[in-house]
Amino acid sequence: QVQLVESGGGLVQAGGSLRLSCVGSGIIFSLSVMGWYRQAPGKQRELVATISPGRSTNYADSVKGRFTISRDNVKNTVYLQMNSLKPDDTAVYYCNSRLIGGDPKYNGWGQGTQVTVSS
């Protein structure tokens, strides 16, 4: 059974930093693309960042230069370091796993963690 558990969200002032973590179980972590997505109230879920098994990264234009995604294949954990936070970054942040070319039963979403940035 796929389980992705996020942590690290909270309330922070604009300009501050947070580090999100997501621990995966029931997935083939080292062969999965891991990603962070976010959904603000009244908006669609959007991509924030992804990291491939080979550690290639991809970022939304809105977070480039401020956010950094990384992974630890020993701990089955993906991180999102968020710096210079803005009120527009306020959203529920979700962790996602996608096994490349594999059985979709190994794909999944976390339950989300709230990030609130005050101005």
Side-chain angles (χ1 to χ4, degrees):
Q1 180 181 358
V2 174
Q3 275 198 318
L4 298 170
V5 180
E6 302 104 333
S7 61
L11 173 64
V12 65
Q13 288 189 332
S17 298
L18 284 174
R19 188 195 197 202
L20 306 183
S21 300
C22 170
V23 180
S25 60
I27 63 174
I28 307 175
F29 188 90
S30 62
L31 298 180
S32 297
V33 176
M34 301 301 298
W36 288 97
Y37 293 73
R38 67 186 181 187
Q39 187 166 17
K43 295 187 177 181
Q44 289 188 331
R45 190 172 297 189
E46 64 177 4
L47 169 73
V48 176
T50 61
I51 184 167
S52 72
R55 289 181 166 79
S56 295
T57 57
N58 178 53
Y59 295 93
D61 287 344
S62 59
V63 307
K64 282 180 181 175
R66 300 188 298 122
F67 292 9
T68 302
I69 190 170
S70 60
R71 64 190 296 158
D72 184 331
N73 288 346
V74 173
K75 295 181 178 179
N76 278 14
T77 302
V78 61
Y79 304 97
L80 186 68
Q81 177 66 44
M82 305 186 294
N83 299 328
S84 302
L85 282 161
K86 305 175 181 179
D88 283 349
D89 295 319
T90 295
V92 178
Y93 284 69
Y94 297 91
C95 177
N96 172 264
S97 69
R98 180 172 56 85
L99 180 63
I100 296 176
D103 192 326
K105 74 178 182 181
Y106 293 110
N107 301 340
W109 290 92
Q111 81 287 351
T113 185
Q114 177 71 46
V115 172
T116 303
V117 184
S118 63
S119 56

